[in-house]
Amino acid sequence: MKGLTDRAGRIGRFFWSGWAGLAGLAVFAAVWQLGAEAYGSFVLPAPAATIQTLLGLVADPHNRLLVLSTSLRALGGFLVAAALGTIAGVIAGYHPAVMRLARPQVTLVIGVPPIAWIVLLMIWFGMGAGTVIATAAIAALPLVFVGAAEGIQTRDRALEDMARMAGLSPLARLLEISLRQMLHVLFPALVMALGTAFKAAVMAELLANAGGIGGALANARSALDVEAALAWILLSVIALIGVEYGIVQPLRAEAEAWREAAQPWGVRR
């Protein structure tokens, strides 16, 4: 019962903290409205007109399938990057020699523009979902790797020594101590990686003509329909926010519940 109460409290505080985000969105909408009044609807349509176009797009079941397709592709690439990047980052964090070998590879992957990866992947995999997923995974992988490696490298080794003296096995020390300390660095990296995966997926769809939101943006570009283009961009952002706050942030709240329990009474984040 207490666990359910604590979880309900975390969910309530999570939604209550959303007021700050709504205030930021209101400021963004106000600046957008000023830009629309200054440059005209052909260059920058007003927020109200764009939202009306967005609602019209969402009303079409085919467009909802496009948004779902892009979301699943980006999420697939993100999950691949999260799994591989976390495992590789943990290994590199424990072994400095591996980190020294991996650091140039990470720099190489980050230094190659995403459009170059898209061209190569189109040659290797064709113009389909595989290219989109692979592009999202490659774009997000370095961020996850660095987050996991930094989290392991900055762990409190004194806690591991205490656990070793208490008789905990290496696997128990990894799961109960090191990985828990890593999460405060890993989860921000995962959030950044998720956003990068969505951006890379939309870019790959646009250039590879692979459907989804990117394909719809290409159609809006060819028709010079600025309202539709902005509406599709907003749909992409909404899909990203839905995945982040529907999956990543709840997982973070559950995984880091111990941090809140470790705080002094009455102290909240």
Side-chain angles (χ1 to χ4, degrees):
M1 184 65 181
K2 185 177 183 300
L4 293 176
T5 303
D6 293 341
R7 185 174 292 107
R10 288 197 299 272
I11 294 175
R13 289 191 296 272
F14 172 75
F15 282 108
W16 179 254
S17 65
W19 286 110
L22 291 176
L25 291 177
V27 173
F28 175 78
V31 175
W32 183 355
Q33 181 65 38
L34 289 175
E37 293 176 0
Y39 295 101
S41 60
F42 181 78
V43 176
L44 184 63
T50 303
I51 292 175
Q52 185 176 2
T53 302
L54 182 150
L55 295 176
L57 293 176
V58 173
D60 188 344
H62 175 69
N63 292 332
R64 294 199 294 269
L65 288 177
L66 294 181
V67 176
L68 179 61
S69 174
T70 298
S71 300
L72 292 177
R73 292 169 177 176
L75 183 59
F78 166 74
L79 291 176
V80 172
L84 297 179
T86 301
I87 294 173
V90 169
I91 295 173
Y94 273 108
H95 302 284
V98 176
M99 188 62 185
R100 286 192 292 268
L101 290 174
R103 187 174 286 116
Q105 320 304 326
V106 173
T107 304
L108 175 64
V109 174
I110 293 177
V112 177
I115 191 171
W117 287 116
I118 295 171
V119 172
L120 291 174
L121 293 170
M122 286 171 59
I123 296 173
W124 294 338
F125 300 114
M127 296 186 295
T131 295
V132 179
I133 295 173
T135 302
I138 291 173
L141 181 61
L143 298 174
V144 181
F145 172 83
V146 171
E150 289 294 327
I152 290 295
Q153 287 181 331
T154 58
R155 71 192 186 278
D156 188 350
R157 290 170 171 79
L159 291 177
E160 290 188 346
D161 294 337
M162 292 172 59
R164 187 182 300 108
M165 294 176 62
L168 267 69
S169 66
L171 180 60
R173 294 198 300 269
L174 172 65
L175 296 178
E176 299 296 332
I177 298 177
S178 299
L179 292 186
R180 286 177 179 267
Q181 294 183 73
M182 176 189 69
L183 294 180
H184 80 284
V185 179
L186 178 61
F187 270 109
L190 288 176
V191 172
M192 293 181 60
L194 180 62
T196 301
F198 264 83
K199 291 187 291 185
V202 173
M203 184 187 303
E205 288 176 342
L206 191 152
L207 295 177
N209 193 24
I213 294 176
L217 278 173
N219 295 333
R221 177 195 59 189
S222 61
L224 296 179
D225 191 342
V226 183
E227 280 187 12
L230 288 175
W232 280 111
I233 292 172
L234 287 180
L235 282 174
S236 175
V237 174
I238 291 171
L240 168 61
I241 292 174
V243 173
E244 177 183 345
Y245 288 94
I247 298 177
V248 177
Q249 295 295 350
L251 287 176
R252 180 179 187 177
E254 289 296 324
E256 295 191 333
W258 64 274
R259 291 185 181 276
E260 183 175 347
Q263 291 176 343
W265 184 84
V267 177
R268 300 297 182 188
R269 285 182 296 180

